[in-house]
């Protein structure tokens, strides 16, 4: 960071105790989230009540992310098998059993690539796993070793300096409740996405763990004003970069995101080959 930029950040930080910024002022401060900020080793946690637009937000983000980088495969893990029309039947699972198989396959790809001397001999493997409403009262899911390991060590599956730096597994979790998320996963979230959660305890958990920046007189109140940014517009979400190290003000790590409305999203086939789509017949499970 240049000295001038550091001085500007320092001035912003020093003036913060003067008064509490309103939700509208914070909304004007925040930049819109760019889907290209996501990486193939991101752990993304999305929290919103039922019918508040979780699926809409993730479908919009993936649509925009695919313009930046095309995933090799996108899998859906969902008890109801609902939503995400860009994923064919053969890429959908009702339990997390195949999640560990995907992890092991990705590790196998990495071991292969490490041995190659030329990048042309390496295998591209960019995987997105969407886990929809598994983080609930089910103890077996909450203690899933695969999920916990992905949150703490998933970044090591990415290629890094091996050659194909965009290889890896992006894990996107959708849930109605942040407090049901195991602590180890909460501590290792890269991006938190939220909108219009009415439950006070859930708001408290998100605001105090991910959004509070200043310890001054107005710090906590201002953080709650920041949370209310997501209530200003339809399909507006608040996205927190939980791993940002240089936090001088909210616009360093907080973003607003206006999702594309479902009726305006183009119909796309995100993954699979023609055979997968020829045999595709979506069944909703109740």
């Amino acid at each position: 960071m240049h000295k001038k930029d550091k001085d500007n950040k320092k001035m912003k930080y020093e003036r913060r105790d003067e008064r509490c910024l309103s939700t509208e002022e914070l909304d004007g401060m925040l930049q819109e989230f760019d889907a290209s900020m996501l990486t193939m080793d991101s752990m993304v946690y999305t929290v919103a009540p039922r019918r508040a637009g979780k699926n809409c937000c993730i479908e919009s983000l993936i649509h925009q992310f695919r313009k930046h980088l095309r995933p090799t495969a996108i899998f859906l893990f969902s008890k109801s098998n609902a939503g995400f029309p860009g994923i064919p039947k053969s890429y959908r699972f009702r339990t997390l059993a195949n999640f560990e198989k995907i992890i092991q396959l990705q590790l196998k790809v990495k071991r292969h690539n490490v041995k190659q001397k030329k990048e042309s001999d390496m295998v591209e493997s960019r995987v997105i796993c969407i886990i929809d409403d598994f983080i609930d009262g089910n103890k077996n899911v909450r203690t899933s070793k695969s999920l916990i390991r992905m949150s703490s060590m998933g970044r090591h599956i990415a290629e890094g300096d091996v050659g194909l730096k965009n290889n890896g597994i992006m894990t996107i979790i959708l849930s109605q409740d942040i407090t049901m998320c195991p602590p180890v996963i909460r501590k290792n979230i890269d991006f938190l996405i939220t909108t219009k959660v009415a439950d006070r305890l859930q708001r408290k958990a998100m605001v105090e763990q991910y959004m509070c920046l200043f310890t001054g007189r107005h710090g906590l109140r201002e953080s709650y004003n920041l949370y209310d940014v997501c209530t200003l517009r339809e399909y507006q979400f608040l996205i927190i970069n939980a791993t940002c190290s240089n936090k001088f003000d909210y616009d360093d790590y907080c973003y607003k995101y206006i999702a594309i409305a479902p009726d305006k999203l183009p119909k796309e086939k995100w993954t699979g080959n023609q055979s997968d789509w020829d045999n595709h017949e979506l069944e909703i499970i109740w």
Side-chain angles (χ1 to χ4, degrees):
M1 185 181 290
H2 296 299
K3 185 178 184 302
K4 183 178 179 181
D5 294 331
K6 287 183 178 180
D7 290 342
N8 288 339
K9 289 290 184 182
K10 185 177 179 182
M11 288 174 61
K12 285 171 67 178
Y13 187 87
E14 288 175 344
R15 68 163 172 77
R16 301 300 282 115
D17 230 6
E18 296 174 9
R19 67 180 183 84
C20 182
L21 294 180
S22 68
T23 296
E24 288 72 19
E25 288 174 311
L26 289 163
D27 179 64
M29 172 192 293
L30 302 186
Q31 299 180 45
E32 290 195 28
F33 185 77
D34 185 344
S36 66
M37 291 179 64
L38 298 172
T39 60
M40 288 310 307
D41 60 353
S42 293
M43 170 66 70
V44 182
Y45 201 98
T46 308
V47 183
R50 181 182 178 214
R51 296 182 177 177
K54 295 189 296 293
N55 285 25
C56 170
C57 176
I58 298 305
E59 287 176 12
S60 177
L61 277 172
I62 290 179
H63 164 70
Q64 294 175 327
F65 180 77
R66 290 177 74 246
K67 295 179 181 179
H68 161 67
L69 183 66
R70 286 293 181 104
T72 309
I74 303 178
F75 298 96
L76 174 65
F77 296 83
S78 171
K79 293 179 181 179
S80 66
N81 200 33
F84 304 98
I87 302 175
K89 181 179 179 179
S90 54
Y91 285 68
R92 294 169 172 263
F93 308 104
R94 293 193 60 220
T95 72
L96 288 176
N98 285 300
F99 186 53
E100 179 63 29
K101 293 179 182 179
I102 292 170
I103 294 172
Q104 293 304 318
L105 183 58
Q106 196 69 13
L107 287 170
K108 185 177 180 180
V109 169
K110 182 169 183 176
R111 286 193 289 269
H112 166 82
N113 287 350
V114 168
K115 297 176 183 177
Q116 307 310 309
K117 295 181 179 180
K118 297 188 296 183
E119 188 167 320
S120 58
D121 294 330
M122 296 181 183
V123 176
E124 291 188 10
S125 185
R126 298 181 292 273
V127 177
I128 296 178
C129 291
I130 302 171
I131 300 172
D132 189 6
D133 276 339
F134 269 95
I135 304 292
D136 53 18
N138 189 319
K139 182 179 179 181
N140 292 332
V141 175
R142 293 186 68 230
T143 58
S144 166
K145 292 181 179 179
S146 297
L147 269 178
I148 291 172
R149 197 168 67 233
M150 273 302 297
S151 69
S152 59
M153 298 189 295
R155 65 189 182 279
H156 299 304
I157 296 177
E159 292 294 355
D161 297 327
V162 173
L164 294 176
K165 63 180 181 180
N166 289 319
N167 272 16
I169 300 177
M170 182 193 303
T171 308
I172 302 175
I173 301 173
L174 292 82
S175 175
Q176 297 179 17
D177 195 333
I178 186 70
T179 61
M180 287 290 186
C181 178
V184 67
I185 294 180
R186 272 208 237 175
K187 291 177 182 178
N188 287 284
I189 291 171
D190 293 303
F191 293 95
L192 173 71
I193 305 175
T194 185
T195 185
K196 302 177 184 176
V197 175
D199 188 299
R200 182 182 65 83
L201 292 178
Q202 289 199 60
R203 292 201 310 273
K204 175 182 171 67
M206 288 186 285
V207 168
E208 295 190 5
Q209 181 164 356
Y210 300 104
M211 300 180 201
C212 280
L213 181 61
F214 302 106
T215 57
R217 191 171 43 165
H218 303 303
L220 185 59
R221 180 183 167 193
E222 195 169 66
S223 299
Y224 276 97
N225 286 348
L226 171 67
Y227 179 86
D228 288 339
V229 163
C230 64
T231 68
L232 294 179
R233 300 174 187 85
E234 189 175 17
Y235 297 117
Q236 178 152 311
F237 293 78
L238 188 64
I239 300 183
I240 311 298
N241 181 353
T243 60
C244 177
S245 56
N246 295 315
K247 299 178 182 178
F248 295 93
D249 218 327
Y250 299 111
D251 56 348
D252 291 321
Y253 68 105
C254 302
Y255 303 84
K256 56 188 175 185
Y257 179 70
I258 303 175
I260 302 171
D263 59 340
K264 294 183 179 178
L265 266 175
K267 293 183 179 180
E268 300 172 318
K269 296 178 180 179
W270 289 348
T271 191
N273 55 35
Q274 189 57 49
S275 175
D276 294 313
W277 287 98
D278 287 341
N279 299 315
H280 177 62
E281 185 177 344
L282 184 60
E283 178 185 4
I284 305 300
I285 310 298
W286 296 98

